[in-house]
PDB file of all heavy atoms in Angstrom:
ATOM      1  N   THR A 605      41.132 -41.059  82.234  1.00 78.00           N
ATOM      2  CA  THR A 605      42.112 -42.100  82.069  1.00 78.00           C
ATOM      3  C   THR A 605      43.437 -41.695  82.667  1.00 78.00           C
ATOM      4  O   THR A 605      43.696 -40.542  82.861  1.00 78.00           O
ATOM      5  CB  THR A 605      42.310 -42.433  80.535  1.00 78.00           C
ATOM      6  OG1 THR A 605      42.646 -41.220  79.856  1.00 78.00           O
ATOM      7  CG2 THR A 605      41.068 -43.028  79.916  1.00 78.00           C
ATOM      8  N   LYS A 606      44.221 -42.684  83.002  1.00 61.00           N
ATOM      9  CA  LYS A 606      45.367 -42.476  83.888  1.00 61.00           C
ATOM     10  C   LYS A 606      46.432 -41.458  83.179  1.00 61.00           C
ATOM     11  O   LYS A 606      47.065 -40.664  83.806  1.00 61.00           O
ATOM     12  CB  LYS A 606      46.071 -43.789  84.186  1.00 61.00           C
ATOM     13  CG  LYS A 606      45.242 -44.767  84.980  1.00 61.00           C
ATOM     14  CD  LYS A 606      44.795 -44.159  86.294  1.00 61.00           C
ATOM     15  CE  LYS A 606      44.000 -45.099  87.158  1.00 61.00           C
ATOM     16  NZ  LYS A 606      42.737 -45.454  86.539  1.00 61.00           N
ATOM     17  N   ASP A 607      46.590 -41.663  81.848  1.00 62.00           N
ATOM     18  CA  ASP A 607      47.644 -40.883  81.175  1.00 62.00           C
ATOM     19  C   ASP A 607      47.154 -39.463  80.786  1.00 62.00           C
ATOM     20  O   ASP A 607      47.997 -38.730  80.227  1.00 62.00           O
ATOM     21  CB  ASP A 607      48.160 -41.642  79.939  1.00 62.00           C
ATOM     22  CG  ASP A 607      47.029 -42.042  79.014  1.00 62.00           C
ATOM     23  OD1 ASP A 607      45.888 -42.050  79.503  1.00 62.00           O
ATOM     24  OD2 ASP A 607      47.286 -42.332  77.862  1.00 62.00           O
ATOM     25  N   LYS A 608      45.918 -39.194  81.010  1.00 67.00           N
ATOM     26  CA  LYS A 608      45.369 -37.867  80.585  1.00 67.00           C
ATOM     27  C   LYS A 608      44.527 -37.270  81.749  1.00 67.00           C
ATOM     28  O   LYS A 608      43.477 -36.645  81.512  1.00 67.00           O
ATOM     29  CB  LYS A 608      44.434 -38.054  79.393  1.00 67.00           C
ATOM     30  CG  LYS A 608      45.163 -38.625  78.101  1.00 67.00           C
ATOM     31  CD  LYS A 608      46.008 -37.548  77.441  1.00 67.00           C
ATOM     32  CE  LYS A 608      46.582 -38.044  76.156  1.00 67.00           C
ATOM     33  NZ  LYS A 608      47.377 -37.067  75.498  1.00 67.00           N
ATOM     34  N   GLU A 609      45.076 -37.287  82.923  1.00 65.00           N
ATOM     35  CA  GLU A 609      44.284 -36.835  84.045  1.00 65.00           C
ATOM     36  C   GLU A 609      44.148 -35.324  84.149  1.00 65.00           C
ATOM     37  O   GLU A 609      43.209 -34.857  84.782  1.00 65.00           O
ATOM     38  CB  GLU A 609      44.927 -37.359  85.368  1.00 65.00           C
ATOM     39  CG  GLU A 609      44.765 -38.890  85.563  1.00 65.00           C
ATOM     40  CD  GLU A 609      45.298 -39.270  86.927  1.00 65.00           C
ATOM     41  OE1 GLU A 609      45.645 -38.400  87.749  1.00 65.00           O
ATOM     42  OE2 GLU A 609      45.320 -40.498  87.187  1.00 65.00           O
ATOM     43  N   SER A 610      45.012 -34.572  83.464  1.00 71.00           N
ATOM     44  CA  SER A 610      44.983 -33.114  83.588  1.00 71.00           C
ATOM     45  C   SER A 610      44.414 -32.513  82.315  1.00 71.00           C
ATOM     46  O   SER A 610      44.574 -31.312  82.024  1.00 71.00           O
ATOM     47  CB  SER A 610      46.391 -32.644  83.782  1.00 71.00           C
ATOM     48  OG  SER A 610      47.284 -32.998  82.741  1.00 71.00           O
ATOM     49  N   HIS A 611      43.697 -33.277  81.450  1.00 82.00           N
ATOM     50  CA  HIS A 611      43.170 -32.721  80.230  1.00 82.00           C
ATOM     51  C   HIS A 611      41.982 -31.837  80.509  1.00 82.00           C
ATOM     52  O   HIS A 611      41.183 -32.073  81.395  1.00 82.00           O
ATOM     53  CB  HIS A 611      42.778 -33.868  79.290  1.00 82.00           C
ATOM     54  CG  HIS A 611      42.688 -33.488  77.854  1.00 82.00           C
ATOM     55  ND1 HIS A 611      41.567 -32.850  77.322  1.00 82.00           N
ATOM     56  CD2 HIS A 611      43.579 -33.567  76.837  1.00 82.00           C
ATOM     57  CE1 HIS A 611      41.782 -32.596  76.043  1.00 82.00           C
ATOM     58  NE2 HIS A 611      42.995 -33.002  75.726  1.00 82.00           N
ATOM     59  N   GLU A 612      41.844 -30.750  79.647  1.00 88.00           N
ATOM     60  CA  GLU A 612      40.764 -29.875  79.865  1.00 88.00           C
ATOM     61  C   GLU A 612      39.392 -30.398  79.503  1.00 88.00           C
ATOM     62  O   GLU A 612      38.336 -29.921  79.944  1.00 88.00           O
ATOM     63  CB  GLU A 612      40.955 -28.620  78.905  1.00 88.00           C
ATOM     64  CG  GLU A 612      41.050 -29.069  77.455  1.00 88.00           C
ATOM     65  CD  GLU A 612      41.435 -27.848  76.551  1.00 88.00           C
ATOM     66  OE1 GLU A 612      41.741 -26.753  77.082  1.00 88.00           O
ATOM     67  OE2 GLU A 612      41.459 -28.031  75.313  1.00 88.00           O
ATOM     68  N   LEU A 613      39.310 -31.575  78.855  1.00 92.00           N
ATOM     69  CA  LEU A 613      38.058 -32.150  78.545  1.00 92.00           C
ATOM     70  C   LEU A 613      37.311 -32.611  79.783  1.00 92.00           C
ATOM     71  O   LEU A 613      36.088 -32.544  79.828  1.00 92.00           O
ATOM     72  CB  LEU A 613      38.266 -33.369  77.604  1.00 92.00           C
ATOM     73  CG  LEU A 613      37.045 -34.140  77.194  1.00 92.00           C
ATOM     74  CD1 LEU A 613      36.165 -33.343  76.357  1.00 92.00           C
ATOM     75  CD2 LEU A 613      37.508 -35.448  76.352  1.00 92.00           C
ATOM     76  N   TRP A 614      38.055 -33.046  80.810  1.00 94.00           N
ATOM     77  CA  TRP A 614      37.387 -33.577  82.045  1.00 94.00           C
ATOM     78  C   TRP A 614      36.536 -32.448  82.674  1.00 94.00           C
ATOM     79  O   TRP A 614      35.374 -32.741  83.105  1.00 94.00           O
ATOM     80  CB  TRP A 614      38.417 -34.057  82.991  1.00 94.00           C
ATOM     81  CG  TRP A 614      39.401 -35.070  82.438  1.00 94.00           C
ATOM     82  CD1 TRP A 614      40.726 -35.066  82.586  1.00 94.00           C
ATOM     83  CD2 TRP A 614      39.114 -36.151  81.553  1.00 94.00           C
ATOM     84  NE1 TRP A 614      41.362 -36.062  81.888  1.00 94.00           N
ATOM     85  CE2 TRP A 614      40.370 -36.810  81.225  1.00 94.00           C
ATOM     86  CE3 TRP A 614      37.954 -36.648  80.979  1.00 94.00           C
ATOM     87  CZ2 TRP A 614      40.463 -37.866  80.379  1.00 94.00           C
ATOM     88  CZ3 TRP A 614      38.068 -37.751  80.150  1.00 94.00           C
ATOM     89  CH2 TRP A 614      39.317 -38.340  79.840  1.00 94.00           C
ATOM     90  N   ASP A 615      37.122 -31.278  82.814  1.00 93.00           N
ATOM     91  CA  ASP A 615      36.336 -30.182  83.433  1.00 93.00           C
ATOM     92  C   ASP A 615      35.085 -29.838  82.660  1.00 93.00           C
ATOM     93  O   ASP A 615      34.026 -29.571  83.229  1.00 93.00           O
ATOM     94  CB  ASP A 615      37.230 -28.949  83.605  1.00 93.00           C
ATOM     95  CG  ASP A 615      38.327 -29.161  84.576  1.00 93.00           C
ATOM     96  OD1 ASP A 615      38.138 -29.960  85.539  1.00 93.00           O
ATOM     97  OD2 ASP A 615      39.379 -28.557  84.405  1.00 93.00           O
ATOM     98  N   HIS A 616      35.223 -29.811  81.365  1.00 95.00           N
ATOM     99  CA  HIS A 616      33.982 -29.516  80.512  1.00 95.00           C
ATOM    100  C   HIS A 616      32.940 -30.601  80.652  1.00 95.00           C
ATOM    101  O   HIS A 616      31.719 -30.227  80.796  1.00 95.00           O
ATOM    102  CB  HIS A 616      34.402 -29.388  79.083  1.00 95.00           C
ATOM    103  CG  HIS A 616      35.194 -28.149  78.715  1.00 95.00           C
ATOM    104  ND1 HIS A 616      34.663 -26.840  78.799  1.00 95.00           N
ATOM    105  CD2 HIS A 616      36.448 -27.975  78.317  1.00 95.00           C
ATOM    106  CE1 HIS A 616      35.545 -25.977  78.434  1.00 95.00           C
ATOM    107  NE2 HIS A 616      36.634 -26.607  78.133  1.00 95.00           N
ATOM    108  N   LEU A 617      33.299 -31.835  80.683  1.00 96.00           N
ATOM    109  CA  LEU A 617      32.315 -32.926  80.821  1.00 96.00           C
ATOM    110  C   LEU A 617      31.675 -32.873  82.239  1.00 96.00           C
ATOM    111  O   LEU A 617      30.484 -33.116  82.443  1.00 96.00           O
ATOM    112  CB  LEU A 617      32.929 -34.209  80.549  1.00 96.00           C
ATOM    113  CG  LEU A 617      33.435 -34.461  79.152  1.00 96.00           C
ATOM    114  CD1 LEU A 617      34.125 -35.827  78.954  1.00 96.00           C
ATOM    115  CD2 LEU A 617      32.244 -34.487  78.105  1.00 96.00           C
ATOM    116  N   ALA A 618      32.530 -32.593  83.223  1.00 95.00           N
ATOM    117  CA  ALA A 618      31.973 -32.496  84.648  1.00 95.00           C
ATOM    118  C   ALA A 618      30.973 -31.344  84.750  1.00 95.00           C
ATOM    119  O   ALA A 618      29.917 -31.578  85.337  1.00 95.00           O
ATOM    120  CB  ALA A 618      33.143 -32.312  85.620  1.00 95.00           C
ATOM    121  N   LYS A 619      31.268 -30.241  84.166  1.00 95.00           N
ATOM    122  CA  LYS A 619      30.339 -29.137  84.203  1.00 95.00           C
ATOM    123  C   LYS A 619      29.089 -29.394  83.428  1.00 95.00           C
ATOM    124  O   LYS A 619      27.970 -29.058  83.830  1.00 95.00           O
ATOM    125  CB  LYS A 619      31.014 -27.863  83.635  1.00 95.00           C
ATOM    126  CG  LYS A 619      32.165 -27.285  84.464  1.00 95.00           C
ATOM    127  CD  LYS A 619      32.830 -26.063  83.805  1.00 95.00           C
ATOM    128  CE  LYS A 619      33.960 -25.584  84.628  1.00 95.00           C
ATOM    129  NZ  LYS A 619      34.630 -24.459  83.963  1.00 95.00           N
ATOM    130  N   LEU A 620      29.212 -30.134  82.253  1.00 96.00           N
ATOM    131  CA  LEU A 620      28.020 -30.480  81.550  1.00 96.00           C
ATOM    132  C   LEU A 620      27.133 -31.416  82.336  1.00 96.00           C
ATOM    133  O   LEU A 620      25.884 -31.296  82.415  1.00 96.00           O
ATOM    134  CB  LEU A 620      28.401 -31.193  80.223  1.00 96.00           C
ATOM    135  CG  LEU A 620      27.366 -31.997  79.483  1.00 96.00           C
ATOM    136  CD1 LEU A 620      26.376 -31.052  78.875  1.00 96.00           C
ATOM    137  CD2 LEU A 620      27.951 -32.918  78.457  1.00 96.00           C
ATOM    138  N   ALA A 621      27.799 -32.430  83.001  1.00 96.00           N
ATOM    139  CA  ALA A 621      27.008 -33.351  83.796  1.00 96.00           C
ATOM    140  C   ALA A 621      26.302 -32.724  84.969  1.00 96.00           C
ATOM    141  O   ALA A 621      25.124 -32.988  85.301  1.00 96.00           O
ATOM    142  CB  ALA A 621      27.907 -34.476  84.291  1.00 96.00           C
ATOM    143  N   ALA A 622      26.974 -31.825  85.650  1.00 95.00           N
ATOM    144  CA  ALA A 622      26.371 -31.042  86.740  1.00 95.00           C
ATOM    145  C   ALA A 622      25.229 -30.235  86.266  1.00 95.00           C
ATOM    146  O   ALA A 622      24.146 -30.173  86.971  1.00 95.00           O
ATOM    147  CB  ALA A 622      27.432 -30.129  87.454  1.00 95.00           C
ATOM    148  N   LEU A 623      25.334 -29.582  85.185  1.00 95.00           N
ATOM    149  CA  LEU A 623      24.247 -28.801  84.608  1.00 95.00           C
ATOM    150  C   LEU A 623      22.984 -29.650  84.296  1.00 95.00           C
ATOM    151  O   LEU A 623      21.837 -29.285  84.572  1.00 95.00           O
ATOM    152  CB  LEU A 623      24.647 -28.060  83.405  1.00 95.00           C
ATOM    153  CG  LEU A 623      23.728 -27.075  82.787  1.00 95.00           C
ATOM    154  CD1 LEU A 623      23.362 -25.909  83.681  1.00 95.00           C
ATOM    155  CD2 LEU A 623      24.244 -26.495  81.458  1.00 95.00           C
ATOM    156  N   LEU A 624      23.172 -30.849  83.723  1.00 95.00           N
ATOM    157  CA  LEU A 624      22.108 -31.716  83.292  1.00 95.00           C
ATOM    158  C   LEU A 624      21.397 -32.219  84.522  1.00 95.00           C
ATOM    159  O   LEU A 624      20.231 -32.384  84.583  1.00 95.00           O
ATOM    160  CB  LEU A 624      22.661 -32.784  82.426  1.00 95.00           C
ATOM    161  CG  LEU A 624      23.208 -32.437  81.038  1.00 95.00           C
ATOM    162  CD1 LEU A 624      23.736 -33.649  80.363  1.00 95.00           C
ATOM    163  CD2 LEU A 624      22.183 -31.728  80.200  1.00 95.00           C
ATOM    164  N   VAL A 625      22.195 -32.615  85.540  1.00 95.00           N
ATOM    165  CA  VAL A 625      21.599 -33.251  86.715  1.00 95.00           C
ATOM    166  C   VAL A 625      20.889 -32.204  87.567  1.00 95.00           C
ATOM    167  O   VAL A 625      19.808 -32.461  88.107  1.00 95.00           O
ATOM    168  CB  VAL A 625      22.728 -33.931  87.537  1.00 95.00           C
ATOM    169  CG1 VAL A 625      22.200 -34.414  88.879  1.00 95.00           C
ATOM    170  CG2 VAL A 625      23.240 -35.178  86.740  1.00 95.00           C
ATOM    171  N   GLU A 626      21.490 -31.048  87.791  1.00 93.00           N
ATOM    172  CA  GLU A 626      20.890 -30.044  88.563  1.00 93.00           C
ATOM    173  C   GLU A 626      19.536 -29.552  88.035  1.00 93.00           C
ATOM    174  O   GLU A 626      18.606 -29.176  88.800  1.00 93.00           O
ATOM    175  CB  GLU A 626      21.871 -28.843  88.787  1.00 93.00           C
ATOM    176  CG  GLU A 626      23.011 -29.096  89.692  1.00 93.00           C
ATOM    177  CD  GLU A 626      23.965 -27.934  89.756  1.00 93.00           C
ATOM    178  OE1 GLU A 626      23.888 -27.048  88.896  1.00 93.00           O
ATOM    179  OE2 GLU A 626      24.735 -27.930  90.690  1.00 93.00           O
ATOM    180  N   ASN A 627      19.422 -29.566  86.673  1.00 93.00           N
ATOM    181  CA  ASN A 627      18.183 -29.169  86.096  1.00 93.00           C
ATOM    182  C   ASN A 627      17.282 -30.356  85.722  1.00 93.00           C
ATOM    183  O   ASN A 627      16.323 -30.130  85.004  1.00 93.00           O
ATOM    184  CB  ASN A 627      18.492 -28.339  84.772  1.00 93.00           C
ATOM    185  CG  ASN A 627      19.107 -26.997  85.081  1.00 93.00           C
ATOM    186  OD1 ASN A 627      18.436 -26.024  85.416  1.00 93.00           O
ATOM    187  ND2 ASN A 627      20.450 -26.938  85.058  1.00 93.00           N
ATOM    188  N   ARG A 628      17.594 -31.474  86.235  1.00 92.00           N
ATOM    189  CA  ARG A 628      16.861 -32.683  86.060  1.00 92.00           C
ATOM    190  C   ARG A 628      16.551 -32.951  84.492  1.00 92.00           C
ATOM    191  O   ARG A 628      15.391 -33.352  84.140  1.00 92.00           O
ATOM    192  CB  ARG A 628      15.518 -32.573  86.802  1.00 92.00           C
ATOM    193  CG  ARG A 628      15.722 -32.418  88.305  1.00 92.00           C
ATOM    194  CD  ARG A 628      14.495 -31.681  88.960  1.00 92.00           C
ATOM    195  NE  ARG A 628      13.373 -32.568  88.839  1.00 92.00           N
ATOM    196  CZ  ARG A 628      12.885 -33.472  89.667  1.00 92.00           C
ATOM    197  NH1 ARG A 628      13.661 -33.777  90.767  1.00 92.00           N
ATOM    198  NH2 ARG A 628      11.776 -34.179  89.536  1.00 92.00           N
ATOM    199  N   VAL A 629      17.555 -32.839  83.732  1.00 94.00           N
ATOM    200  CA  VAL A 629      17.399 -32.947  82.304  1.00 94.00           C
ATOM    201  C   VAL A 629      17.701 -34.393  81.873  1.00 94.00           C
ATOM    202  O   VAL A 629      17.028 -34.981  81.065  1.00 94.00           O
ATOM    203  CB  VAL A 629      18.261 -31.936  81.512  1.00 94.00           C
ATOM    204  CG1 VAL A 629      18.273 -32.247  80.031  1.00 94.00           C
ATOM    205  CG2 VAL A 629      17.782 -30.559  81.783  1.00 94.00           C
ATOM    206  N   ALA A 630      18.752 -34.938  82.406  1.00 95.00           N
ATOM    207  CA  ALA A 630      19.174 -36.284  81.927  1.00 95.00           C
ATOM    208  C   ALA A 630      19.996 -36.960  83.009  1.00 95.00           C
ATOM    209  O   ALA A 630      20.606 -36.302  83.898  1.00 95.00           O
ATOM    210  CB  ALA A 630      20.059 -36.138  80.618  1.00 95.00           C
ATOM    211  N   HIS A 631      20.031 -38.241  82.980  1.00 96.00           N
ATOM    212  CA  HIS A 631      20.932 -39.050  83.795  1.00 96.00           C
ATOM    213  C   HIS A 631      22.361 -39.027  83.203  1.00 96.00           C
ATOM    214  O   HIS A 631      22.509 -39.085  81.979  1.00 96.00           O
ATOM    215  CB  HIS A 631      20.453 -40.544  83.844  1.00 96.00           C
ATOM    216  CG  HIS A 631      19.311 -40.710  84.716  1.00 96.00           C
ATOM    217  ND1 HIS A 631      19.302 -40.561  86.055  1.00 96.00           N
ATOM    218  CD2 HIS A 631      18.030 -41.095  84.392  1.00 96.00           C
ATOM    219  CE1 HIS A 631      18.081 -40.792  86.603  1.00 96.00           C
ATOM    220  NE2 HIS A 631      17.281 -41.149  85.550  1.00 96.00           N
ATOM    221  N   VAL A 632      23.339 -38.894  84.029  1.00 97.00           N
ATOM    222  CA  VAL A 632      24.741 -38.898  83.578  1.00 97.00           C
ATOM    223  C   VAL A 632      25.455 -40.058  84.305  1.00 97.00           C
ATOM    224  O   VAL A 632      25.502 -40.094  85.516  1.00 97.00           O
ATOM    225  CB  VAL A 632      25.404 -37.596  83.876  1.00 97.00           C
ATOM    226  CG1 VAL A 632      26.874 -37.654  83.333  1.00 97.00           C
ATOM    227  CG2 VAL A 632      24.678 -36.399  83.261  1.00 97.00           C
ATOM    228  N   VAL A 633      25.985 -40.951  83.457  1.00 97.00           N
ATOM    229  CA  VAL A 633      26.661 -42.156  83.972  1.00 97.00           C
ATOM    230  C   VAL A 633      28.176 -42.039  83.641  1.00 97.00           C
ATOM    231  O   VAL A 633      28.572 -41.973  82.460  1.00 97.00           O
ATOM    232  CB  VAL A 633      26.124 -43.447  83.417  1.00 97.00           C
ATOM    233  CG1 VAL A 633      26.829 -44.670  83.959  1.00 97.00           C
ATOM    234  CG2 VAL A 633      24.617 -43.533  83.638  1.00 97.00           C
ATOM    235  N   PHE A 634      29.002 -41.990  84.618  1.00 96.00           N
ATOM    236  CA  PHE A 634      30.443 -41.997  84.431  1.00 96.00           C
ATOM    237  C   PHE A 634      30.978 -43.366  84.564  1.00 96.00           C
ATOM    238  O   PHE A 634      30.776 -43.995  85.588  1.00 96.00           O
ATOM    239  CB  PHE A 634      31.158 -41.072  85.485  1.00 96.00           C
ATOM    240  CG  PHE A 634      30.902 -39.609  85.245  1.00 96.00           C
ATOM    241  CD1 PHE A 634      29.821 -38.943  85.859  1.00 96.00           C
ATOM    242  CD2 PHE A 634      31.662 -38.886  84.413  1.00 96.00           C
ATOM    243  CE1 PHE A 634      29.654 -37.630  85.689  1.00 96.00           C
ATOM    244  CE2 PHE A 634      31.455 -37.530  84.169  1.00 96.00           C
ATOM    245  CZ  PHE A 634      30.464 -36.895  84.811  1.00 96.00           C
TER     246      PHE A 634
END
Side-chain angles (χ1 to χ4, degrees):
T605 53
K606 298 298 184 298
D607 54 341
K608 298 285 185 179
E609 290 187 4
S610 60
H611 201 277
E612 58 187 3
L613 180 63
W614 310 134
D615 292 332
H616 287 296
L617 293 177
K619 292 177 182 178
L620 167 72
L623 184 63
L624 296 177
V625 170
E626 288 177 344
N627 291 277
R628 299 158 63 90
V629 172
H631 286 293
V632 182
V633 182
F634 289 93

